[in-house]
Amino acid sequence: MAQMTMIQAITDALRCELKDDENVLVFGEDVGVNGGVFRATEGLQKEFGEGRVFDTPLAESGIGGLAIGLALEGFRPVPEIQFFGFVYEVMDSISGQLARLRYRSGGNLSAPVTIRSPFGGGVHTPEMHSDSLEGLIAQQPGIKVVVPSTPYDAKGLLIASIRDNDPVVFLEHLKLYRSFREEVPEESYTIELGKADVKREGTDLSIITYGAMVHESLKAAEELEKEGHSVEVIDLRTIQPLDIETIVASVEKTNRAIVVQEAQKQAGVAAQVIAEINERAILSLEAPVLRVAAPDTIYPFPQAESVWLPNYKDVLATAKKVLEF
Amino acid sequence: MSANKSIFDAVKNLQEIEEKFEMVQILNEEGEIVSPDLDPQLSDEKLVELMRRMVFTRILDQRSISLNRQGRLGFYAPTAGQEASQIASHYALEKADWILPGYRDVPQIVWHGVPLSQAFLWSRGHFAGGQSPEGVNVLSPQIIIGAQYVQTAGVALGLQKRGKEAVAVTYTGDGGSSQGDFYEGINFASAFKSPAVFIIQNNQFAISTPRHLQTGAKTLAQKGIAAGIPSIQVDGMDPLAVYMATKEARDRAVRGEGPSLIETVCYRYGPHTMAGDDPTRYRTSETDEEWGKKDPIIRFRKYLEAKGLWDQSKEEAVIEDAKEQIKAAIKEADSVPKQKVTDLISIMHDENSMPANLKEQYEIYAEKESK
């Protein structure tokens, strides 16, 4: 075991997979000799060579097409999109092509591609770097969407994503890259995709969340504990498909729930989670399921992040509303 | 200094470049070899086979239009007029090569090994139409114009990394050369020096939009300059010129010298698709007539007849054979079971990792289908 930040755990996962499977290829803008703009691919080109870890021209759509083409020749591509705000350039390659390859070939061809991309607010990035656009991809049949919140989860989920025989979009929150360390096994291990994790057990309220909001929710849960409320925090980890079983079991136990996301209220996947709860556990609910989400504006100018981004105080306020309903 | 005198002669730069892209022709409209030094010198047997495939494809087009009108086919993009561009370019390929076709490029994948019945199923909208046989290196016709170009750069890089002696070939139209993915595709292949052959079939119109409204560039071939790749404009109604240009591009790619761009100047006699397009709204009968004289089949027939390699009875035999095969293929397509929702769910993901939502929906539809 070693103490790792999330970014170290990600590099470690990539190293494990490059070592274990010669079909794994890592490529993108500045991921080679530079080791990535966040050092996620640091040292990998030196260790595995330019044939396995390489830079590309600056064109996201081309990178998406490259991944699809390489998959057709039996490779297991792990391309990087430098910031997920740039996904619009590659929406066709991802949602229009990658997601459909197996289906449109009647199951004969497959696209075992894992797209890594950072996103997320709180670090004063320039425009179009921090936007939470996971909701867009989560609406596309054929793709799984993974958002880890801890170093341990990041490594196990990334290895599982790379080994999955269908496309996965793996979103890495910028603020979580180096915000804390955690014990991470040095050997390979996987965490099943589509499985949530109960990060804290409780009996009075379920907080269902993902990404950076997991930590805001845990902080809020601690505060609520002091006031005598036992709060369960569920980290979705995979936002498409959702782990309905874990969500419903929790709501049936606590009878109250909120969904917390960093994305705008009209975006993200909170509405989907609430709809699933309404369809499957309405008789268990003592109160409506409320949302914590960002305002429905464009992502804020960097100086306005602190007043715009949801934080533990918003979680606290919404949790109390539901507890006191 | 006079206002209209150039300091930097950028105009001259452009003119010099554009002059270099003169259309290459080997066989003229009369079926005469006009560039003997470029003649690919195909054997008699190969010449006859190329003619057979072109005639077969013309009949396939005629029958497809008619079957579409009878409601026995669905989506169909006519190919008549483009036989040299489509079939002679394919004729220069090897079995190991990958083809990433556009929506009009069904003939190429058929000659590469996709059964006719599957081509018909693709037209109708049945998943079995995309289930190309193992070892037939093709994708289904691409509907998103340009997407096949970036994917081709990827397949070509894959072939290069595997050390295979093969190329990835793709097609788009004149309109498609305006897409971003068109440029990204040729540029990526150039940067990686990958074995790709990019073909623009310039059939003069993108639906109703004439070629000159796509770009001010004099040729589409010169767009290869932006990627730094060898490019050429050929007479796309001339089977020998198309064959030769494709063969040379393929040879260069297999030698490790990177991708090429080929513009074939051709014409589609029919509408854009059978979904209600009416070419009389944007084309004159004079233009149709003018291009009718350039017909690839007429000129190749003249050429082969002069060599004593072709006659009417041979052509009739091909036509009969085509009609028989088409009839059998339609019958085969008819016999394929109807699609069920559970089929569609099953082909979404690897069977070992079907997501929970789909597992649940599979059960619901299986129940519905059992009634």
Side-chain angles (χ1 to χ4, degrees):
Chain A
M1 297 280 263
Q3 286 279 324
M4 288 187 200
T5 60
M6 190 163 97
I7 197 119
Q8 287 170 331
I10 287 166
T11 313
D12 199 43
L14 291 170
R15 185 180 292 112
C16 287
E17 288 309 280
L18 281 160
K19 207 180 282 176
D20 281 359
D21 183 350
E22 59 181 20
N23 288 317
V24 171
L25 301 175
V26 171
F27 55 91
E29 296 157 10
D30 311 295
V31 304
V33 66
N34 191 44
V37 290
F38 295 104
R39 303 286 170 260
T41 53
E42 175 101 323
L44 296 180
Q45 188 182 68
K46 204 169 172 198
E47 190 174 345
F48 298 97
E50 289 174 22
R52 305 281 309 282
V53 180
F54 53 93
D55 292 323
T56 66
L58 201 169
E60 286 76 18
S61 188
I63 292 170
L66 205 66
I68 294 166
L70 286 164
L72 289 170
E73 263 300 308
F75 288 99
R76 200 167 275 274
V78 189
E80 178 182 298
I81 301 298
Q82 202 161 67
F83 292 94
F84 206 54
F86 311 163
V87 72
Y88 293 113
E89 296 283 349
V90 62
M91 276 303 280
D92 179 58
S93 281
I94 298 175
S95 293
Q97 306 292 332
L98 198 50
R100 309 170 69 95
L101 186 67
R102 185 185 290 274
Y103 180 83
R104 72 191 294 268
S105 65
N108 279 14
L109 302 172
S110 63
V113 175
T114 301
I115 297 175
R116 290 183 41 250
S117 189
F119 80 108
V123 292
H124 300 292
T125 59
E127 207 170 3
M128 294 291 287
H129 283 57
S130 294
D131 296 57
S132 290
L133 303 172
E134 68 279 8
L136 291 176
I137 309 296
Q139 290 210 358
Q140 174 58 51
I143 297 201
K144 296 172 184 132
V145 185
V146 176
V147 189
S149 70
T150 68
Y152 178 86
D153 285 353
K155 180 172 174 181
L157 287 167
L158 183 52
I159 292 176
S161 298
I162 295 171
R163 292 181 187 178
D164 197 284
N165 288 328
D166 292 299
V168 177
V169 168
F170 190 88
L171 297 172
E172 304 164 2
H173 200 290
L174 286 166
K175 206 181 169 190
L176 301 180
Y177 266 158
R178 294 185 175 85
S179 59
F180 67 100
R181 286 173 187 277
E182 188 179 57
E183 288 288 322
V184 176
E186 273 159 74
E187 67 278 7
S188 278
Y189 62 93
T190 57
I191 295 171
E192 194 182 339
L193 304 185
K195 293 284 173 213
D197 184 38
V198 179
K199 288 277 192 276
R200 177 192 173 103
E201 290 196 25
T203 53
D204 300 338
L205 170 75
S206 303
I207 301 182
I208 300 150
T209 185
Y210 59 100
M213 291 301 114
V214 170
H215 303 282
E216 298 299 319
S217 299
L218 286 169
K219 204 165 160 188
E222 259 172 56
E223 294 288 317
L224 288 162
E225 175 90 49
K226 287 178 200 159
E227 296 173 28
H229 302 291
S230 162
V231 176
E232 182 145 301
V233 177
I234 296 176
D235 180 356
L236 288 171
R237 300 198 294 196
T238 300
I239 59 160
Q240 172 57 40
L242 292 168
D243 182 354
I244 304 289
E245 230 172 280
T246 302
I247 295 168
V248 168
S250 178
V251 172
E252 282 174 348
K253 176 175 69 174
T254 63
N255 311 118
R256 293 171 198 266
I258 64 172
V259 186
V260 181
Q261 68 180 19
E262 180 175 321
Q264 292 89 337
K265 196 169 185 180
Q266 69 182 58
V269 294
Q272 183 72 15
V273 175
I274 293 171
E276 293 286 355
I277 294 170
N278 281 341
E279 285 176 17
R280 295 165 198 269
I282 192 132
L283 295 178
S284 303
L285 289 176
E286 296 284 348
V289 184
L290 299 188
R291 270 178 283 182
V292 175
D296 286 330
T297 70
I298 301 292
Y299 190 86
F301 298 100
Q303 291 197 327
E305 272 186 333
S306 59
V307 294
W308 190 91
L309 284 169
N311 61 30
Y312 81 97
K313 289 179 193 161
D314 302 303
V315 180
L316 253 169
T318 306
K320 281 185 182 167
K321 255 193 221 168
V322 169
L323 285 164
E324 291 158 12
F325 179 80
Chain B
M1 198 183 305
S2 101
N4 57 7
K5 175 139 195 227
S6 302
I7 304 169
F8 305 107
D9 211 342
V11 174
K12 191 169 144 235
N13 280 350
L14 177 66
Q15 281 167 349
E16 278 178 4
I17 287 167
E18 290 189 325
E19 275 163 23
K20 295 210 172 12
F21 287 89
E22 218 167 282
M23 189 173 80
V24 176
Q25 189 184 61
I26 297 175
L27 202 61
N28 70 11
E29 290 170 27
E30 299 311 314
E32 297 155 350
I33 299 275
V34 290
S35 311
D37 50 325
L38 300 179
D39 185 348
Q41 308 279 357
L42 290 169
S43 67
D44 290 354
E45 203 183 17
K46 283 197 121 185
L47 288 169
V48 168
E49 173 61 13
L50 177 54
M51 180 64 174
R52 184 182 79 83
R53 291 184 183 193
M54 285 173 41
V55 171
F56 191 109
T57 305
R58 178 66 60 88
I59 299 305
L60 177 60
D61 182 71
Q62 289 168 0
R63 291 298 300 138
S64 297
I65 287 172
S66 148
L67 287 161
N68 167 281
R69 289 197 174 124
Q70 295 164 32
R72 300 188 71 195
L73 282 183
F75 176 81
Y76 182 68
T79 59
Q82 296 189 206
E83 291 84 358
S85 175
Q86 297 182 320
I87 306 305
S89 61
H90 174 261
Y91 205 47
L93 306 183
E94 301 290 336
K95 180 86 180 152
D97 297 338
W98 269 94
I99 301 178
L100 288 88
Y103 52 76
R104 201 182 301 283
D105 303 311
V106 174
Q108 294 96 307
I109 61 171
V110 165
W111 290 112
H112 212 54
V114 172
L116 258 186
S117 58
Q118 282 194 334
F120 292 153
L121 285 164
W122 181 81
S123 163
R124 288 176 175 181
H126 192 296
F127 71 82
Q131 290 174 324
S132 304
E134 174 108 35
V136 176
N137 295 336
V138 302
L139 280 187
S140 292
Q142 179 57 250
I143 298 294
I144 301 303
I145 296 171
Q148 71 272 34
Y149 262 57
V150 282
Q151 292 171 21
T152 293
V155 174
L157 182 61
L159 291 169
Q160 185 183 40
K161 284 185 177 296
R162 296 283 185 214
K164 291 185 184 170
E165 262 197 33
V167 302
V169 183
T170 191
Y171 299 82
T172 191
D174 38 310
S177 68
S178 301
Q179 288 278 3
D181 274 357
F182 164 84
Y183 169 69
E184 288 185 29
I186 61 175
N187 189 58
F188 266 58
S190 171
F192 292 115
K193 223 176 180 189
S194 308
V197 178
F198 297 99
I199 298 178
I200 306 172
Q201 300 187 82
N202 170 8
N203 66 14
Q204 315 305 319
F205 286 90
I207 306 188
S208 65
T209 307
R211 144 75 181 84
H212 71 87
L213 288 181
Q214 296 296 337
T215 173
K218 192 177 161 201
T219 68
L220 300 179
Q222 75 196 64
K223 293 194 171 204
I225 300 261
I229 66 174
S231 25
I232 187 173
Q233 186 191 61
V234 299
D235 181 350
M237 308 297 263
D238 169 0
L240 296 182
V242 173
Y243 174 85
M244 199 57 202
T246 314
K247 170 127 193 350
E248 193 178 60
R250 186 187 185 279
D251 288 347
R252 197 160 45 231
V254 169
R255 285 199 304 267
E257 294 167 27
S260 305
L261 179 67
I262 300 168
E263 175 191 3
T264 66
V265 181
C266 56
Y267 198 71
R268 64 167 150 86
Y269 296 142
H272 162 67
T273 66
M274 294 305 292
D277 177 45
D278 171 14
T280 63
R281 294 170 77 107
Y282 54 86
R283 259 176 11 200
T284 62
S285 53
E286 289 82 54
T287 322
D288 283 352
E289 220 169 280
E290 181 196 322
W291 282 92
K293 287 182 202 143
K294 298 181 200 276
D295 193 309
I297 291 179
I298 295 174
R299 79 172 75 171
F300 205 40
R301 184 192 290 134
K302 283 181 184 165
Y303 172 66
L304 294 184
E305 280 176 348
K307 285 172 88 88
L309 294 173
W310 197 255
D311 56 36
Q312 201 173 341
S313 70
K314 275 188 179 150
E315 188 152 328
E316 273 161 18
V318 176
I319 293 170
E320 275 320 299
D321 175 46
K323 286 180 177 169
E324 281 305 310
Q325 286 198 42
I326 291 163
K327 214 162 130 188
I330 277 286
K331 219 170 145 190
E332 202 182 327
D334 288 344
S335 74
V336 170
K338 281 189 182 159
Q339 301 168 100
K340 301 190 299 286
V341 175
T342 47
D343 296 328
L344 305 183
I345 291 174
S346 306
I347 56 178
M348 283 297 299
H349 291 269
D350 184 305
E351 54 185 348
N352 299 317
S353 59
M354 190 191 283
N357 55 326
L358 284 177
K359 272 187 195 155
E360 185 180 279
Q361 291 162 30
Y362 186 94
E363 294 308 322
I364 293 167
Y365 281 93
E367 166 77 17
K368 221 170 153 180
E369 289 160 7
S370 71
K371 282 176 187 159

